[in-house]
Amino acid sequence: MSRENPRLDRGAYEFFDLQPTSGDVVSEILAGLTSTPKRISPKFFYDEVGSKLFEDITRLQEYYPTRTEMALFDAHLPEVAAQIGAGVCLIEYGSGSSLKIRKVLQSLTPRAYVPVDISADHLQDNARRLHADFPELEVFPVCADFTQPFTLPARVAHYNKVGFFPGSSIGNFEPEAALGFLQTVRESVGDGGLLLIGVDRKKPRDILERAYDDAQGVTAAFNRNALININRITGANFDPHTFGHIAHYNDTLGCIQMFLEARQAQRVEVAGQVIQLTAGERIHTENSFKYTPDEFLQLSERAGFAQAGFWSDANAWFSLFLMRAI
């Protein structure tokens, strides 16, 4: 006697490694620390500890972007899904196993999902979890630097494409680099393709600065963790406790700027090279640009997109755009 298997057919899974090169990381760190002013790339926040600290930041009362964007998803993803249609390929720039991508997959029900990330292990871990939880979904993780042009798997060539870039991560690019990234997305999704993107808006200074300098000091720990990560990578001897966390809104640039400020004069050895800091000297660690809706539309139109949908919260703190490649 046989019985029917009620489980639906499992979607395909295949990993594509485009073998992105990260360059000489030690040389990059030294170049930043010997420049004037000194700087560290924000990518060095994100070791295992830094990623956990960022998850903690997203749950802070002061940090409005995550809960505001999630509320927009709850309210408007059905409308987004109606505009996008069925059977698409969703391309996520950055690999997420968070509530955001899960909400989007549940609401849009794409046929295929292509997460793109430079960290192969992180990418595969997240992609396999999502494939287990959405078994009918075809999942094709691509290890690549998504800020540069890359090739999508041939297996998704016949699908209509939808890019997904949440969290106002577009703000971490300098404006011209943001334009370049949007042009790369435009190339990936093709004519008529779509991009669903979250964009943080300009707002009063006190709201912005509290979001990046919380009372519990979680963001400060996140900022200092870049030094701990650099110690691990290069054998440096930074003492994170000798640096203060600075976050302020630059009205001229329209962005939050984060720094680590030396509380005392010090000599630090980094990969055998001595780095000297004076008391009060700052190391720049991050910019986070904020956009009015018109500013973002002007930028995206330069990249070859036109607005297909726009939603914002009642406070006008955060924007969710659906853009169409023209």
Side-chain angles (χ1 to χ4, degrees):
M1 178 183 293
S2 65
R3 66 180 178 184
E4 294 181 3
N5 184 351
R7 190 179 68 180
L8 296 175
D9 291 340
R10 177 171 289 275
Y13 179 96
E14 186 174 353
F15 175 64
F16 294 85
D17 189 355
L18 303 188
Q19 299 183 331
T21 58
S22 58
D24 186 338
V25 173
V26 173
S27 295
E28 178 185 355
I29 291 168
L30 284 171
L33 291 173
T34 55
S35 65
T36 304
K38 293 179 172 60
R39 55 182 167 77
I40 294 171
S41 169
K43 70 184 179 185
F44 294 111
F45 292 142
Y46 295 100
D47 60 0
E48 184 176 354
V49 172
S51 297
K52 173 62 169 61
L53 285 167
F54 184 72
E55 288 296 319
D56 292 342
I57 288 169
T58 65
R59 293 189 285 269
L60 293 170
Q61 179 60 35
E62 297 99 326
Y63 194 78
Y64 62 85
T66 300
R67 66 173 178 274
T68 307
E69 186 176 38
M70 290 291 282
L72 290 172
F73 285 167
D74 288 340
H76 301 294
L77 277 179
E79 185 179 349
V80 174
Q83 291 196 49
I84 286 175
V88 302
C89 170
L90 184 74
I91 307 164
E92 185 180 17
Y93 298 90
S95 172
S97 59
S98 67
L99 290 173
K100 288 181 186 177
I101 185 58
R102 291 171 182 275
K103 276 186 180 292
V104 169
L105 291 175
Q106 288 166 354
S107 296
L108 304 190
T109 60
R111 187 67 190 91
Y113 169 57
V114 179
V116 186
D117 201 277
I118 200 167
S119 174
D121 291 342
H122 172 76
L123 172 66
Q124 287 229 69
D125 287 347
N126 287 342
R128 289 191 182 282
R129 280 197 295 269
L130 286 166
H131 190 233
D133 292 340
F134 296 86
E136 297 83 33
L137 185 66
E138 296 181 349
V139 178
F140 304 121
V142 174
C143 186
D145 180 354
F146 65 71
T147 68
Q148 304 297 323
F150 63 92
T151 302
L152 289 170
R155 298 183 67 167
V156 302
H158 60 290
Y159 290 120
N160 293 329
K161 314 294 193 305
V162 180
F164 179 52
F165 199 47
S168 199
S169 296
I170 192 69
N172 294 133
F173 293 96
E174 297 291 319
E176 284 305 307
L179 173 63
F181 169 72
L182 291 171
Q183 289 170 333
T184 296
V185 174
R186 168 66 181 80
E187 181 179 338
S188 291
V189 300
D191 293 348
L194 294 163
L195 170 64
L196 182 63
I197 183 169
V199 182
D200 199 9
R201 296 176 64 159
K202 292 178 176 175
K203 58 186 67 65
R205 172 188 295 273
D206 62 326
I207 296 169
L208 285 166
E209 292 187 346
R210 283 199 304 271
Y212 291 82
D213 192 8
D214 60 279
Q216 297 179 52
V218 181
T219 312
F222 175 70
N223 200 7
R224 293 189 188 98
N225 188 68
L227 299 179
I228 298 171
N229 195 20
I230 285 173
N231 284 348
R232 179 182 58 78
I233 293 169
T234 69
N237 61 342
F238 279 105
D239 180 355
H241 298 101
T242 64
F243 287 85
H245 167 67
I246 304 292
H248 73 80
Y249 183 66
N250 185 318
D251 289 291
T252 302
L253 295 178
C255 73
I256 283 282
Q257 296 186 299
M258 290 205 326
F259 302 87
L260 291 165
E261 184 176 84
R263 292 170 171 161
Q264 61 195 47
Q266 52 192 285
R267 295 171 76 256
V268 181
E269 289 191 12
V270 181
Q273 185 166 336
V274 174
I275 306 296
Q276 302 219 26
L277 294 104
T278 59
E281 187 174 359
R282 293 179 175 182
I283 303 173
H284 178 245
T285 54
E286 184 180 47
N287 282 342
S288 184
F289 286 85
K290 312 302 175 184
Y291 292 93
T292 67
D294 284 345
E295 287 172 338
F296 180 74
L297 283 176
Q298 289 171 17
L299 182 69
S300 56
E301 285 168 1
R302 289 174 61 198
F305 285 99
Q307 181 179 306
F310 170 75
W311 303 270
S312 188
D313 59 292
N315 293 321
W317 283 2
F318 199 93
S319 300
L320 185 64
F321 288 92
L322 184 63
M323 307 301 298
R324 186 179 301 278
I326 55 174

Short mmCIF file of all heavy atoms in Angstrom, two decimals, residues 188-217:
data_model
loop_
_atom_site.label_atom_id
_atom_site.label_comp_id
_atom_site.label_asym_id
_atom_site.label_seq_id
_atom_site.Cartn_x
_atom_site.Cartn_y
_atom_site.Cartn_z
N SER A 188 21.62 44.74 -13.30
CA SER A 188 21.23 43.39 -12.87
C SER A 188 19.76 43.10 -13.14
O SER A 188 19.42 42.00 -13.58
CB SER A 188 21.52 43.21 -11.37
OG SER A 188 22.89 43.19 -11.11
N VAL A 189 18.87 44.05 -12.84
CA VAL A 189 17.44 43.78 -12.97
C VAL A 189 16.96 43.93 -14.40
O VAL A 189 15.93 43.36 -14.77
CB VAL A 189 16.60 44.67 -12.02
CG1 VAL A 189 17.00 44.43 -10.57
CG2 VAL A 189 16.70 46.15 -12.38
N GLY A 190 17.69 44.68 -15.23
CA GLY A 190 17.34 44.80 -16.64
C GLY A 190 16.14 45.70 -16.90
O GLY A 190 15.47 46.18 -15.97
N ASP A 191 15.85 45.94 -18.16
CA ASP A 191 14.74 46.82 -18.55
C ASP A 191 13.44 46.35 -17.93
O ASP A 191 13.07 45.17 -18.05
CB ASP A 191 14.59 46.85 -20.07
CG ASP A 191 15.76 47.51 -20.78
OD1 ASP A 191 16.57 48.15 -20.08
OD2 ASP A 191 15.87 47.37 -22.01
N GLY A 192 12.74 47.27 -17.28
CA GLY A 192 11.47 46.94 -16.66
C GLY A 192 11.59 46.28 -15.31
O GLY A 192 10.58 46.05 -14.63
N GLY A 193 12.83 45.95 -14.89
CA GLY A 193 13.04 45.34 -13.58
C GLY A 193 12.75 46.34 -12.46
O GLY A 193 12.64 47.55 -12.69
N LEU A 194 12.64 45.82 -11.25
CA LEU A 194 12.22 46.65 -10.12
C LEU A 194 13.26 46.61 -9.00
O LEU A 194 14.07 45.70 -8.90
CB LEU A 194 10.88 46.15 -9.58
CG LEU A 194 9.69 46.29 -10.53
CD1 LEU A 194 8.53 45.41 -10.07
CD2 LEU A 194 9.23 47.75 -10.62
N LEU A 195 13.21 47.63 -8.15
CA LEU A 195 14.04 47.71 -6.95
C LEU A 195 13.18 48.19 -5.79
O LEU A 195 12.56 49.25 -5.87
CB LEU A 195 15.19 48.70 -7.16
CG LEU A 195 16.01 49.07 -5.91
CD1 LEU A 195 16.73 47.84 -5.35
CD2 LEU A 195 17.00 50.18 -6.23
N LEU A 196 13.13 47.38 -4.72
CA LEU A 196 12.46 47.76 -3.48
C LEU A 196 13.56 48.18 -2.50
O LEU A 196 14.42 47.37 -2.15
CB LEU A 196 11.66 46.59 -2.92
CG LEU A 196 10.87 46.85 -1.64
CD1 LEU A 196 9.79 47.90 -1.86
CD2 LEU A 196 10.24 45.54 -1.13
N ILE A 197 13.53 49.45 -2.07
CA ILE A 197 14.65 49.99 -1.31
C ILE A 197 14.16 50.88 -0.18
O ILE A 197 13.22 51.67 -0.35
CB ILE A 197 15.61 50.77 -2.25
CG1 ILE A 197 16.84 51.29 -1.49
CG2 ILE A 197 14.90 51.89 -2.99
CD1 ILE A 197 17.95 51.81 -2.41
N GLY A 198 14.77 50.73 1.00
CA GLY A 198 14.48 51.57 2.14
C GLY A 198 15.49 52.71 2.23
O GLY A 198 16.69 52.49 2.06
N VAL A 199 15.00 53.93 2.52
CA VAL A 199 15.86 55.12 2.53
C VAL A 199 15.52 55.96 3.76
O VAL A 199 14.37 56.37 3.95
CB VAL A 199 15.66 55.96 1.25
CG1 VAL A 199 16.59 57.17 1.25
CG2 VAL A 199 15.89 55.10 0.00
N ASP A 200 16.53 56.20 4.59
CA ASP A 200 16.33 57.04 5.78
C ASP A 200 16.25 58.51 5.36
O ASP A 200 16.99 58.96 4.48
CB ASP A 200 17.47 56.84 6.76
CG ASP A 200 17.13 57.29 8.17
OD1 ASP A 200 15.94 57.59 8.43
OD2 ASP A 200 18.04 57.34 9.02
N ARG A 201 15.34 59.24 6.01
CA ARG A 201 15.07 60.63 5.62
C ARG A 201 15.76 61.61 6.56
O ARG A 201 16.09 61.29 7.71
CB ARG A 201 13.56 60.89 5.62
CG ARG A 201 12.82 60.06 4.60
CD ARG A 201 11.32 60.25 4.65
NE ARG A 201 10.92 61.62 4.32
CZ ARG A 201 9.70 61.94 3.90
NH1 ARG A 201 8.78 61.00 3.75
NH2 ARG A 201 9.38 63.18 3.63
N LYS A 202 15.99 62.81 6.05
CA LYS A 202 16.49 63.89 6.90
C LYS A 202 15.42 64.25 7.92
O LYS A 202 14.22 64.22 7.63
CB LYS A 202 16.86 65.10 6.04
CG LYS A 202 18.07 64.84 5.16
CD LYS A 202 18.41 66.03 4.27
CE LYS A 202 19.69 65.74 3.49
NZ LYS A 202 20.00 66.81 2.52
N LYS A 203 15.89 64.60 9.13
CA LYS A 203 14.97 64.89 10.23
C LYS A 203 15.73 65.69 11.27
O LYS A 203 16.93 65.94 11.11
CB LYS A 203 14.40 63.59 10.81
CG LYS A 203 15.46 62.63 11.30
CD LYS A 203 14.87 61.31 11.72
CE LYS A 203 14.27 60.50 10.60
NZ LYS A 203 15.29 60.06 9.61
N PRO A 204 15.09 66.11 12.37
CA PRO A 204 15.79 66.92 13.36
C PRO A 204 17.05 66.25 13.89
O PRO A 204 17.11 65.04 14.10
CB PRO A 204 14.74 67.10 14.46
CG PRO A 204 13.43 67.05 13.73
CD PRO A 204 13.64 66.01 12.66
N ARG A 205 18.07 67.08 14.11
CA ARG A 205 19.38 66.62 14.55
C ARG A 205 19.31 65.74 15.81
O ARG A 205 19.99 64.72 15.91
CB ARG A 205 20.27 67.84 14.83
CG ARG A 205 21.61 67.50 15.48
CD ARG A 205 22.35 68.77 15.90
NE ARG A 205 22.72 69.56 14.75
CZ ARG A 205 23.85 69.40 14.06
NH1 ARG A 205 24.70 68.45 14.43
NH2 ARG A 205 24.12 70.15 13.03
N ASP A 206 18.48 66.13 16.78
CA ASP A 206 18.47 65.39 18.05
C ASP A 206 18.00 63.95 17.85
O ASP A 206 18.52 63.03 18.49
CB ASP A 206 17.64 66.11 19.11
CG ASP A 206 16.18 66.26 18.72
OD1 ASP A 206 15.89 66.44 17.52
OD2 ASP A 206 15.32 66.21 19.61
N ILE A 207 17.04 63.74 16.95
CA ILE A 207 16.55 62.38 16.69
C ILE A 207 17.64 61.55 16.03
O ILE A 207 17.88 60.39 16.41
CB ILE A 207 15.29 62.44 15.81
CG1 ILE A 207 14.15 63.15 16.53
CG2 ILE A 207 14.86 61.03 15.38
CD1 ILE A 207 12.97 63.48 15.66
N LEU A 208 18.33 62.14 15.06
CA LEU A 208 19.38 61.43 14.35
C LEU A 208 20.55 61.09 15.27
O LEU A 208 21.05 59.96 15.27
CB LEU A 208 19.88 62.28 13.17
CG LEU A 208 18.96 62.34 11.95
CD1 LEU A 208 19.37 63.46 11.01
CD2 LEU A 208 18.96 61.01 11.21
N GLU A 209 20.98 62.07 16.06
CA GLU A 209 22.16 61.83 16.88
C GLU A 209 21.88 60.83 18.00
O GLU A 209 22.75 60.03 18.34
CB GLU A 209 22.69 63.16 17.41
CG GLU A 209 23.27 64.02 16.29
CD GLU A 209 23.96 65.28 16.77
OE1 GLU A 209 23.80 65.65 17.96
OE2 GLU A 209 24.67 65.91 15.96
N ARG A 210 20.67 60.83 18.56
CA ARG A 210 20.33 59.82 19.56
C ARG A 210 20.34 58.41 18.96
O ARG A 210 20.71 57.44 19.62
CB ARG A 210 18.96 60.10 20.19
CG ARG A 210 18.96 61.21 21.21
CD ARG A 210 17.73 61.14 22.10
NE ARG A 210 16.48 61.16 21.35
CZ ARG A 210 15.83 62.28 21.01
NH1 ARG A 210 16.33 63.46 21.36
NH2 ARG A 210 14.70 62.23 20.35
N ALA A 211 19.92 58.30 17.69
CA ALA A 211 19.88 56.99 17.05
C ALA A 211 21.27 56.39 16.89
O ALA A 211 21.42 55.16 16.83
CB ALA A 211 19.20 57.10 15.68
N TYR A 212 22.31 57.24 16.82
CA TYR A 212 23.67 56.76 16.62
C TYR A 212 24.55 56.95 17.87
O TYR A 212 25.76 56.71 17.81
CB TYR A 212 24.30 57.48 15.42
CG TYR A 212 23.67 57.06 14.12
CD1 TYR A 212 22.47 57.64 13.68
CD2 TYR A 212 24.23 56.07 13.33
CE1 TYR A 212 21.88 57.25 12.49
CE2 TYR A 212 23.64 55.66 12.14
CZ TYR A 212 22.46 56.26 11.72
OH TYR A 212 21.87 55.87 10.55
N ASP A 213 23.94 57.35 18.98
CA ASP A 213 24.69 57.49 20.24
C ASP A 213 23.71 57.22 21.38
O ASP A 213 23.33 58.11 22.12
CB ASP A 213 25.29 58.90 20.34
CG ASP A 213 26.29 59.01 21.48
OD1 ASP A 213 26.63 57.97 22.08
OD2 ASP A 213 26.73 60.14 21.77
N ASP A 214 23.34 55.95 21.53
CA ASP A 214 22.29 55.55 22.47
C ASP A 214 22.77 55.63 23.91
O ASP A 214 23.97 55.57 24.20
CB ASP A 214 21.82 54.13 22.16
CG ASP A 214 22.97 53.13 22.27
OD1 ASP A 214 23.75 53.02 21.31
OD2 ASP A 214 23.09 52.48 23.32
N ALA A 215 21.81 55.74 24.83
CA ALA A 215 22.11 55.90 26.25
C ALA A 215 22.80 54.68 26.84
O ALA A 215 23.59 54.81 27.79
CB ALA A 215 20.82 56.19 27.02
N GLN A 216 22.53 53.49 26.31
CA GLN A 216 23.15 52.28 26.85
C GLN A 216 24.57 52.04 26.35
O GLN A 216 25.28 51.17 26.87
CB GLN A 216 22.30 51.06 26.48
CG GLN A 216 20.91 51.06 27.08
CD GLN A 216 20.12 49.84 26.65
OE1 GLN A 216 20.59 48.71 26.78
NE2 GLN A 216 18.93 50.05 26.13
N GLY A 217 24.99 52.80 25.37
CA GLY A 217 26.35 52.66 24.85
C GLY A 217 26.57 51.50 23.92
O GLY A 217 27.71 51.10 23.66
#
